[in-house]
């Protein structure tokens, strides 16, 4: 046991040196936060990253919880091609859930691990500027009928100075997916899209998406068919083969948008797996899917010839 632990620490040493001072954005899906038994484990992992002088920004979702509260309150829930139509009544629910109960629960878990985390929505200090989405077809359905999405926002800008002010004081921002337009009108924004824009604005080295899937699978019915590494060319082939579908499509699209926006490496991980963040970041084998741009693929391949692995 002792020898195994020592080897693991030595293996992690190169990564800890590499990551020190870098910026990571971690997006936690609402389906993960819906399982309280997972929250403390994730908080421990985030605390370890924070202790290594990695600048962390956490973005969370909460669609499952918003739907559940809406149903309890008798607020109609309308989905279109997997995306939420946000009526004024539904916006009130999302504000209560995203910037309220979920934010507090996540902050409390981090406090138990002595992480100095600060909860904020995109409305706080003008962090996220958005505009109300005009009627438009669902994403990926350009030829479809336009949908009135209601109080849904498309992100225009993220003010990184707000996050830098927290980083400079050793704090971890925990960001809820509510933004506002130029008139201060609150809008519901997609959490994956928010994580991408936060990562791009910070020039993050990594975007890590915690979800309830093991990563991208070549055969969605076979967990052993995990795609550990992919670039845009690989993904085009996988899309053509029908491997990228359902809830994995927006995750893959988010990763592609991030790498095209300058984020070096993106990861899709199963947040239900104990220590999945640490396994992906500090072991050669990793445990999820890493998606990078074409240039980064070349640099990564050269690194792997010398070191091997999926983590860095």
């Amino acid at each position: 046991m002792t020898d195994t632990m020592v080897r693991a620490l030595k293996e992690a040493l190169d990564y800890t040196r590499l990551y020190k001072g870098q910026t990571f954005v971690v997006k936690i899906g609402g389906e993960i936060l819906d399982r309280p038994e997972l929250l403390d484990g994730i908080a421990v992992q985030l605390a370890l990253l924070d202790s290594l002088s990695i600048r962390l920004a956490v973005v969370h979702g909460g669609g499952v919880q918003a739907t559940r509260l809406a149903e309890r309150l008798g607020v109609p829930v309308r989905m279109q091609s997997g995306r939420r139509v946000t009526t004024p009544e539904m916006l009130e629910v999302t504000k209560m859930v995203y910037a309220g109960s979920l934010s507090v629960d996540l902050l409390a878990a981090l406090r138990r691990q002595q992480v100095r985390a600060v909860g904020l929505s995109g409305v706080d200090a003008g962090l996220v500027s958005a505009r109300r989405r005009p009627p438009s077809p669902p994403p990926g359905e350009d030829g479809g009928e336009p949908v009135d999405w209601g109080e849904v926002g498309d992100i225009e800008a993220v003010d990184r100075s707000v996050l830098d002010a927290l980083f400079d004081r050793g704090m971890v921002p925990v960001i809820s997916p509510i933004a506002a337009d130029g008139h201060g009108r609150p809008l519901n924004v997609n959490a994956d899209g928010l994580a991408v824009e936060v990562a791009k604005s910070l020039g993050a080295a990594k975007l890590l998406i915690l979800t309830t899937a093991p990563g991208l699978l070549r055969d969605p019915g076979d967990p052993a068919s995990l795609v550990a590494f992919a670039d845009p060319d690989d993904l085009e082939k996988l899309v053509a083969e029908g491997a990228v579908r359902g809830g994995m499509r927006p995750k893959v699209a988010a990763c592609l948008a991030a790498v095209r926006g300058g984020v070096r490496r993106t990861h899709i991980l199963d947040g239900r797996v104990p220590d999945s963040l640490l396994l992906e970041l500090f072991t050669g084998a990793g445990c999820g899917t890493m998606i990078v741009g074409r240039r980064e693929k070349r640099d990564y391949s050269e690194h792997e010839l010398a070191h091997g692995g999926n983590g860095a």
Side-chain angles (χ1 to χ4, degrees):
M1 174 68 78
T2 301
D3 289 344
T4 300
M5 292 175 63
V6 169
R7 285 196 299 271
L9 287 170
K10 288 180 176 178
E11 182 180 4
L13 181 59
D14 284 343
Y15 295 123
T16 59
R17 289 170 173 162
L18 177 65
Y19 296 154
K20 185 176 182 179
Q22 292 192 357
T23 301
F24 293 178
V25 175
V26 179
K27 189 268 178 172
I28 307 174
E31 66 276 12
I32 297 296
L33 296 176
D34 204 38
R35 297 179 57 175
E37 72 276 11
L38 300 177
L39 189 52
D40 280 332
I42 291 171
V44 168
Q45 296 176 76
L46 294 173
L48 192 149
L49 297 181
D50 180 55
S51 74
L52 296 174
S53 299
I54 295 169
R55 303 199 320 170
L56 286 177
V58 178
V59 176
H60 68 83
V64 173
Q65 295 86 343
T67 295
R68 187 163 57 234
L69 180 58
E71 291 172 345
R72 284 174 52 195
L73 296 175
V75 174
V77 175
R78 182 184 169 201
M79 306 294 289
Q80 184 73 40
S81 300
R83 297 297 181 101
R84 187 181 304 279
V85 176
T86 305
T87 62
E89 295 78 14
M90 193 67 213
L91 180 63
E92 294 305 308
V93 172
T94 60
K95 288 191 291 184
M96 285 188 282
V97 171
Y98 299 164
S101 59
L102 285 182
S103 180
V104 170
D105 289 346
L106 185 47
L107 290 168
L110 290 169
R111 181 167 179 171
R112 288 193 288 273
Q113 302 305 323
Q114 300 180 41
V115 175
R116 298 179 69 208
V118 176
L120 65 165
S121 72
V123 179
D124 292 276
L127 173 61
V128 181
S129 300
R131 61 179 176 83
R132 190 177 189 271
R133 180 177 300 169
S136 57
E141 300 181 20
D142 293 339
E145 289 294 321
V147 175
D148 183 353
W149 298 100
E151 307 307 304
V152 169
D154 290 320
I155 297 171
E156 295 185 314
V158 173
D159 183 356
R160 68 166 292 170
S161 69
V162 178
L163 303 177
D164 285 335
L166 295 173
F167 291 145
D168 290 345
R169 289 160 177 78
M171 298 180 183
V172 175
V174 175
I175 309 167
S176 306
I178 300 290
D181 65 14
H183 302 288
R185 176 180 184 173
L187 295 166
N188 179 19
V189 296
N190 178 267
D192 287 335
L194 175 58
V196 169
E197 295 305 321
V198 168
K200 287 165 55 178
S201 72
L202 292 171
K206 288 184 179 291
L207 168 63
L208 301 116
I209 298 176
L210 293 180
T211 183
T212 54
L216 177 59
L217 304 175
R218 290 187 182 277
D219 176 359
D222 180 9
S225 66
L226 178 69
V227 178
F229 179 85
D231 73 352
D233 295 328
D234 300 324
L235 293 172
E236 285 181 10
K237 295 176 184 176
L238 290 167
V239 169
E241 294 168 1
V244 185
R245 62 192 187 198
M248 189 54 58
R249 292 182 69 93
K251 309 300 181 190
V252 169
C255 289
L256 283 173
V259 298
R260 288 168 177 159
V263 178
R264 286 184 58 204
R265 299 181 181 183
T266 65
H267 306 254
I268 302 173
L269 310 173
D270 192 338
R272 301 168 299 178
V273 174
D275 299 323
S276 57
L277 271 172
L278 304 183
L279 291 169
E280 179 74 0
L281 291 170
F282 296 107
T283 67
C287 71
T289 297
M290 180 162 71
I291 296 174
V292 303
R294 294 180 179 89
R295 179 175 179 180
E296 183 65 20
K297 180 180 181 180
R298 183 194 65 216
D299 295 342
Y300 171 81
S301 299
E302 291 173 355
H303 177 273
E304 293 309 293
L305 287 174
H307 298 91
N310 187 39

